[in-house]
Amino acid sequence: SRPPGRESRSRSPGVARGQLHRTGPSIPLRMNFRSIDDLNRAVVALLPRIPRDVDLVVGIPRSGLLAASMIALHMNRPLTDLRGLLERRLLQSGKRRAEDSVVDPFETARRVLIVDDSVRSGAALREARASLEAEDLPWPLTFAAIYVTPEARDLPDLFAEEVPLPRMFAWNVMHHAWLAKCCVDLDGVLCRDPEPDENDDGPRYEEFLANTEPLLLPTVPIGWIVTARLEKYRALTEAWLARHGVTYERLVMLDLPDAATRRRTGAHVPHKVDAYRRFRGMLFIESCPDQARHIAEQSGRPVLCATTQDMCYPRSIAGNAAAVARKFGSSWVRTLEGASQRLFDGLLARKRAQL
């Protein structure tokens, strides 16, 4: 049976009712998630293929700066962004290198490496390449990306790994348009969790709800905020979300009389699983590692734990992927996942066309 819960809608001025989900989200067989640790491993794997005459590393803002910084640190090379390259200014100091060092890398650089974290369509990479070529710069340029889709593998000069869609990166989860197709926990994700002395289901808890500090605030609309907060705290919750500029399609809360009943019935996970299944979300972002694992297992769908940055899968999917990886290698897993997802999306599109 469905756990008791209620919902409300909240939209930004530019988002009309239903605009977020006109076609409905596709349901991924497996989300291709990459963490910060994964990014660093991919950077290290790419290092041997970077030309040895690279003397300056340039990041394409914003996400490309993260990957470029890792490469620059590993190679012990100076770092800047696209504007800094044109202005002959390094990123670290905000000053021209020639002002504080005998060696000016802009004068001595043999080659410049331009880095983005990922390439999907290649629009950003093409724009960066065109703008730099128009400047008639004195250095040869090499363009690198850490992750590419299979369709974009020929766009950069170098890349570390093919990652097919659907994919999500830890460093931009809360800023990606796909957040409109996700279920997102509130406490521990959008704001910190209450301390034990704040969790009294009374005045101290109300003070927490009204004034708690934000944690990971999104810059794009959320599909469904699914929280185990009680329905009686809806007004305080909605006011906090509005004050911090969080827009969303629905806010789903637990319709139980008090926190003691919630604990006695163990309603947290069933409530979240029900919402995840009902809204057919692409991903659930959960703060609690144990709850993340249980939601994944009971829903049969992927769950990202925001606290550990681990992607949790149902045992059947994770076990099958691990078995294939042991026998054929991880690249086979990615290839099969991409083919399976394309087949699934094609069948889903055909079914929708018949409706």
Side-chain angles (χ1 to χ4, degrees), residues 174 185-193 207-218 229 239-246:
M174 303 304 288
D185 188 15
L186 204 164
D187 297 320
V189 180
L190 303 181
C191 69
R192 66 175 178 86
D193 282 312
E207 173 67 19
F208 164 80
L209 295 179
N211 299 306
T212 185
E213 303 86 352
L215 189 57
L216 303 175
L217 290 181
R229 288 185 182 184
W240 186 92
L241 292 168
R243 186 164 69 253
H244 291 284
V246 179

Side-chain angles (χ1 to χ4, degrees), residues 62-311:
R62 287 192 315 174
S63 297
L65 285 168
L66 177 60
S69 177
M70 290 180 172
I71 292 174
L73 285 170
H74 282 297
M75 296 184 68
N76 193 28
R77 298 292 191 270
L79 172 70
T80 189
D81 57 9
L82 290 177
R83 182 178 294 276
L85 179 64
L86 299 178
E87 297 175 355
R88 308 298 198 268
R89 169 180 47 78
L90 293 182
L91 196 62
Q92 300 95 304
S93 63
K95 299 179 180 179
R96 294 180 185 273
R97 182 70 176 181
E99 294 175 4
D100 57 8
S101 174
V102 175
V103 178
D104 181 358
F106 296 103
E107 294 295 333
T108 61
R110 295 166 294 172
R111 179 178 296 275
V112 174
L113 181 70
I114 313 295
V115 181
D116 207 351
D117 66 328
S118 66
V119 175
R120 179 180 176 179
S121 67
L125 187 66
R126 290 190 186 94
E127 182 180 351
R129 190 188 292 269
S131 65
L132 293 177
E133 289 176 349
E135 295 292 332
D136 193 26
L137 298 174
W139 318 281
L141 305 177
T142 296
F143 289 82
I146 308 306
Y147 301 116
V148 299
T149 58
E151 299 78 15
R153 58 174 295 136
D154 295 329
L155 295 178
D157 301 311
L158 302 169
F159 71 89
E161 182 185 358
E162 284 186 21
V163 181
L165 304 178
R167 67 184 188 184
M168 188 169 284
F169 303 134
W171 49 96
N172 64 7
V173 165
M174 303 304 288
H175 315 293
H176 198 291
W178 280 354
L179 203 62
K181 300 179 180 181
C182 295
C183 296
V184 180
D185 188 15
L186 204 164
D187 297 320
V189 180
L190 303 181
C191 69
R192 66 175 178 86
D193 282 312
E195 298 294 335
D197 63 343
E198 295 174 309
N199 208 4
D200 65 348
D201 200 15
R204 290 181 179 177
Y205 185 59
E206 291 180 350
E207 173 67 19
F208 164 80
L209 295 179
N211 299 306
T212 185
E213 303 86 352
L215 189 57
L216 303 175
L217 290 181
T219 55
V220 294
I222 295 173
W224 309 277
I225 298 177
V226 183
T227 176
R229 288 185 182 184
L230 301 177
E231 181 64 39
K232 63 183 180 181
Y233 297 119
R234 177 173 293 277
L236 284 169
T237 299
E238 290 178 339
W240 186 92
L241 292 168
R243 186 164 69 253
H244 291 284
V246 179
T247 59
Y248 52 92
E249 182 75 1
R250 296 177 187 266
L251 171 62
V252 185
M253 306 182 76
L254 260 177
D255 193 13
L256 293 174
D258 50 46
T261 303
R262 182 180 58 198
R263 288 190 293 270
R264 186 177 67 252
T265 58
H268 297 74
V269 169
H271 168 66
K272 294 175 180 180
V273 168
D274 174 76
Y276 195 12
R277 286 174 171 169
R278 190 154 39 101
F279 297 126
R280 296 172 59 80
M282 174 173 283
L283 183 69
F284 199 112
I285 301 174
E286 165 63 38
S287 63
C288 173
D290 286 339
Q291 288 189 36
R293 287 189 290 270
H294 288 303
I295 295 169
E297 192 60 39
Q298 294 180 32
S299 68
R301 315 265 278 283
V303 177
L304 172 62
C305 179
T307 303
T308 64
Q309 291 294 294
D310 290 327
M311 187 69 76

Side-chain angles (χ1 to χ4, degrees), residues 8-61:
S8 71
R9 291 173 178 260
S10 173
R11 296 173 299 280
S12 61
V15 181
R17 181 181 294 271
Q19 182 176 339
L20 298 180
H21 314 292
R22 283 176 179 166
T23 60
S26 62
I27 309 302
L29 300 176
R30 185 177 175 91
M31 176 64 69
N32 293 303
F33 176 75
R34 296 296 182 269
S35 67
I36 299 290
D37 287 342
D38 293 327
L39 177 65
N40 186 58
R41 282 191 287 268
V43 163
V44 171
L46 182 65
L47 291 177
R49 294 192 284 122
I50 295 176
R52 293 298 93 188
D53 60 348
V54 164
D55 292 317
L56 180 62
V57 180
V58 179
I60 298 178

